[in-house]
Amino acid sequence: MSAPTIPETQKAIVFETCNGPLLYKDIAVPKPQANEILVNIKYSGVCHSDLHTWKNDWPAVPLKLPLVCGHEGAGVVAAVGANVSPDQWKVGDLAGIKLINKACLSCENCQQGEEPACGKLILSGFQTDGTFQQYGTVDAFQATKLPADIDLSSVGPILCAGITVYKGLKTSGAKPGQWVVISGAAGGLGSLAVQYARALGLRVIAIDGGDERGDFVKNLGAEEFIDFRKCQDIAKEIHRITDGGAHAALNVSTSEAAIQQSVDFVRNRGTVVLIGLPADSKVCLPILETVCRQISVKGSYVGNNWDTNEAIDFFARGLVKCPIKIVGLSELESVFKLMEEGKTIGRYVLDTSK
Ligand code: 8ID
Ligand code: ZN
């Protein structure tokens, strides 16, 4: 294949300050460093983490400013750095850019394949420009191989939402036939969590708000739906359905109150997995009950390369589908507005050509 012409400039969404204007403008196409590849990003999912970042919900997280957000990019390799071997990446390969753009690969956690716990992570759309642009760079080791026949328009959400919930379900320790509650089930992460859980043989209780979301998650495979806007006592309802409480709870909502409730609806020896990251939030654990009921509470943060490959494989085999709506890159601001108002269902994906 002849090498594609790489333009000097490209379209991107850039903000100069948090909460500042989301500018749709021309910026320079970055050059890959020796260990990086340059990906011509065709589509990018919009994760709630992008909205949190723009709103400065996590002031402790350092940001590059001006910044291009986004970390669910799918595209085609346009150039490879000097140290990248052809066995690793070639121009024309399909590649994904996920949240972890670079890890140190030498610390204790990286050495054990636990890169999400590396203390020196460079995150796409945080400390380096992300995927709301037409061309982005990523460390060759952290770039994700995508099968040649994959649908680039719908695979993007796997690269954060999919990896995260797949890893989260593994972290829960729930076994086939056991009950898992997905709280925030109709969102970008939740809609994939329901499907991965089913594919892993788990029984799913989905929690979210409204009849439309109820129908949506049941179509994805949830056995039961609880409407948090209507149900008076969610813990009681879950104990009734499961005869003693869920084996695990996956918290993928952005509600602190919902996350707090999950401690009450797991059964003895159950596991609460924390994934959603509402601003300034805490979970309060009653010590006596947590000890005597032997409840585990675990944080789960994206996944490593192996989790990524497995999550992509489930998608490639058609076991999970990304429920998406595609809009142009220039429309990010309206997507953020809908997300902020709690009006999105599933995932929005940006087409970088528009
Ligand atoms: O690695 C990680 N830990 C990681 C990775 C990716 C994303 C964490 N996240 C975080 C995001 O930063 C965000 O805080 O996960 C959270 C969910 O991201 P998302 O799925 O991209 O957000 P969304 O599409 O807006 O979905 C949120 C859902 O929660 C529901 C909403 O209706 C929506 O469907 N929800 C709300 I808000 N309150 C609820 C409640 N009380 C609720 N569902 C149940 N009960
Ligand atoms: Zn994300």
Side-chain angles (χ1 to χ4, degrees):
M1 183 186 293
S2 64
T5 314
I6 301 168
E8 291 292 318
T9 61
Q10 58 161 338
K11 291 288 184 210
I13 299 271
V14 186
F15 59 85
E16 287 170 5
T17 55
C18 287
N19 291 296
L22 293 157
L23 307 167
Y24 178 61
K25 62 182 220 175
D26 291 315
I27 62 168
V29 170
K31 305 252 183 284
Q33 297 189 350
N35 293 327
E36 291 181 336
I37 60 171
L38 178 71
V39 180
N40 177 198
I41 300 158
K42 303 290 188 189
Y43 296 92
S44 174
V46 182
C47 179
H48 207 116
S49 298
D50 300 311
L51 177 59
H52 287 304
T53 305
W54 175 66
K55 284 171 61 188
N56 202 23
D57 278 347
W58 309 317
V61 178
L63 297 180
K64 162 197 177 291
L65 288 171
L67 180 66
V68 174
C69 261
H71 52 269
E72 289 186 346
V76 185
V77 176
V80 298
N83 293 347
V84 179
S85 87
D87 293 339
Q88 220 179 346
W89 289 105
K90 289 187 285 297
V91 168
D93 287 348
L94 301 191
I97 299 183
K98 57 187 169 63
L99 184 70
I100 299 182
N101 195 285
K102 197 173 284 166
C104 81
L105 300 187
S106 56
C107 70
E108 176 185 338
N109 290 309
C110 284
Q111 292 278 312
Q112 295 179 45
E114 298 287 348
E115 293 113 90
C118 171
K120 292 187 180 161
L121 289 179
I122 303 290
L123 304 177
S124 310
F126 287 79
Q127 293 87 36
T128 188
D129 283 341
T131 56
F132 298 160
Q133 56 180 346
Q134 293 172 315
Y135 288 87
T137 53
V138 55
D139 187 87
F141 183 76
Q142 295 300 338
T144 302
K145 289 268 180 204
L146 299 177
D149 57 353
I150 209 102
D151 174 15
L152 287 180
S153 67
S154 62
V155 70
I158 301 295
L159 291 158
C160 174
I163 299 167
T164 301
V165 300
Y166 176 65
K167 167 70 187 310
L169 287 164
K170 288 203 279 186
T171 299
S172 79
K175 297 187 176 61
Q178 295 188 334
W179 285 104
V180 61
V181 175
I182 315 280
S183 177
L189 269 64
S191 56
L192 289 170
V194 172
Q195 298 176 73
Y196 277 106
R198 280 296 302 267
L200 293 166
L202 303 172
R203 302 181 73 180
V204 174
I205 300 174
I207 311 181
D208 214 303
D211 293 344
E212 191 185 354
R213 289 191 173 82
D215 292 342
F216 174 70
V217 296
K218 283 197 159 175
N219 276 330
L220 295 175
E223 206 169 314
E224 301 277 351
F225 171 67
I226 297 175
D227 188 336
F228 75 85
R229 293 180 193 153
K230 290 187 190 152
C231 184
Q232 300 294 322
D233 190 337
I234 290 175
K236 193 172 168 196
E237 180 61 1
I238 291 172
H239 280 271
R240 183 190 68 75
I241 295 168
T242 59
D243 193 19
H247 299 84
L250 215 65
N251 284 291
V252 287
S253 80
T254 49
S255 158
E256 181 181 24
I259 296 168
Q260 182 63 53
Q261 276 170 351
S262 66
V263 176
D264 297 328
F265 59 61
V266 289
R267 69 176 56 199
N268 292 359
R269 295 172 58 232
T271 302
V272 171
V273 183
L274 305 181
I275 292 177
L277 294 160
D280 299 324
S281 298
K282 289 190 172 61
V283 177
C284 183
L285 296 173
I287 293 176
L288 179 68
E289 229 186 289
T290 309
V291 170
C292 298
R293 294 183 61 221
Q294 299 186 62
I295 307 297
S296 300
V297 179
K298 295 181 177 179
S300 188
Y301 183 40
V302 288
N304 64 13
N305 276 353
W306 197 249
D307 301 316
T308 302
N309 294 340
E310 289 182 342
I312 293 283
D313 184 57
F314 275 65
F315 174 83
R317 287 188 289 132
L319 295 171
V320 299
K321 298 191 171 22
C322 294
I324 55 165
K325 288 196 185 79
I326 302 177
V327 299
L329 174 64
S330 59
E331 293 174 67
L332 176 65
E333 189 171 351
S334 58
V335 176
F336 272 180
K337 190 162 182 287
L338 288 171
M339 199 174 244
E340 172 113 63
E341 291 167 352
K343 291 183 179 160
T344 58
I345 293 185
R347 206 37 137 205
Y348 273 84
V349 168
L350 306 178
D351 174 345
T352 66
S353 70
K354 295 178 189 158

